[in-house]
DNA sequence: ATATGATATCATGAATATATAAATTGTAAA
DNA sequence: TTTACAATTTATATATTCATGATATCATAT
């Protein structure tokens, strides 16, 4: 994990992390971690406003974190980058474990 | 990895990720991944301006990602959150592997 | 006490990110 | 072809982040 090595990649990596570093986008990615979802069902599940959802998805697309396929009028989004799943896994472990009852 | 579960923690988690989501702070954390370092040696190793370094370290402290100890006039910073090491590990795997020569 | 070294804080402006509303595009049903 | 639905794009106001320069603090050596 040398600095020299990271220096080469820090632009891409920080971009990736910026994609993740937002409450709403974390919720979206949690939903997508379960499998592909339509935009409408993401809106229902998260309560995020439609326009806002579209912008967040667009940002996630820009960072190559998600992709989508169209079926009729509906777009189905899904996680398209393994690093997303792995990072979410680590975050879940460290931040989402129940404390003892 | 339910949304309900993440909803409770998404504020903390996105704060944590914002701490990580910056080129300079990634470089700083790469250095600290090797062990504790003084501010001066961090400045030398990374080339980040003094004021800027101080602000970045302050932000990392706010997110509980690093701590420091004082020895005479010198402050030694170190990573104080396991999630930092684990997330950095995943990022390294996915983004910093050499492609085949 | 004063000077110096190591670091932090403050103030400012430029660049980015976010939320909201309005207008637009693309697909399919009537 | 008109209408409605699903989603994106554009515009704009506000908030946050970041870089820089100036100043301040705190510990130590003289």
């Amino acid at each position: 994990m040398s600095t020299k090595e990271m220096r080469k990649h820090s632009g891409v990596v920080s971009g990736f992390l910026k994609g993740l570093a937002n409450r709403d986008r974390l919720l979206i990615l949690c939903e997508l971690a379960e499998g592909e979802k339509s935009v409408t069902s993401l809106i229902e599940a998260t309560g995020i406003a439609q326009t806002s959802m579209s912008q967040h998805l667009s940002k996630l697309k820009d960072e190559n974190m998600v992709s989508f396929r169209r079926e009729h009028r509906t777009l189905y989004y899904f996680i398209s980058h393994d690093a997303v799943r792995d990072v979410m896994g680590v975050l879940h472990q460290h931040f989402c474990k129940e404390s003892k009852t």
Side-chain angles (χ1 to χ4, degrees), chain A:
Chain A
M1 193 130 37
S2 75
T3 304
K4 234 174 220 164
E5 204 180 18
M6 179 56 92
R7 199 177 285 279
K8 277 189 246 160
H9 302 280
S10 59
V12 174
V13 176
S14 67
F16 174 87
L17 288 166
K18 278 175 191 170
L20 225 51
N22 171 279
R23 285 183 74 124
D24 286 347
R25 288 193 297 275
L26 282 174
L27 294 180
I28 292 168
L29 291 170
C30 270
E31 287 297 315
L32 296 183
E34 295 172 358
E36 65 167 22
K37 297 267 166 83
S38 70
V39 178
T40 300
S41 72
L42 285 173
I43 289 168
E44 282 169 7
T46 61
I48 296 166
Q50 189 268 325
T51 298
S52 198
M53 176 62 70
S54 200
Q55 288 179 160
H56 284 308
L57 289 172
S58 172
K59 179 153 203 165
L60 292 172
K61 250 187 305 176
D62 290 345
E63 292 298 336
N64 299 310
M65 300 168 81
V66 304
S67 306
F68 66 90
R69 68 184 177 86
R70 179 186 286 279
E71 193 171 301
H72 308 293
R73 305 188 263 217
T74 303
L75 304 188
Y76 291 90
Y77 277 82
F78 54 91
I79 291 173
S80 57
H81 197 314
D82 283 342
V84 173
R85 276 179 278 262
D86 290 356
V87 171
M88 297 281 290
V90 171
L91 295 172
H92 187 256
Q93 265 179 235
H94 283 281
F95 295 100
C96 300
K97 293 299 183 189
E98 308 288 320
S99 37
K100 296 153 208 163
T101 320

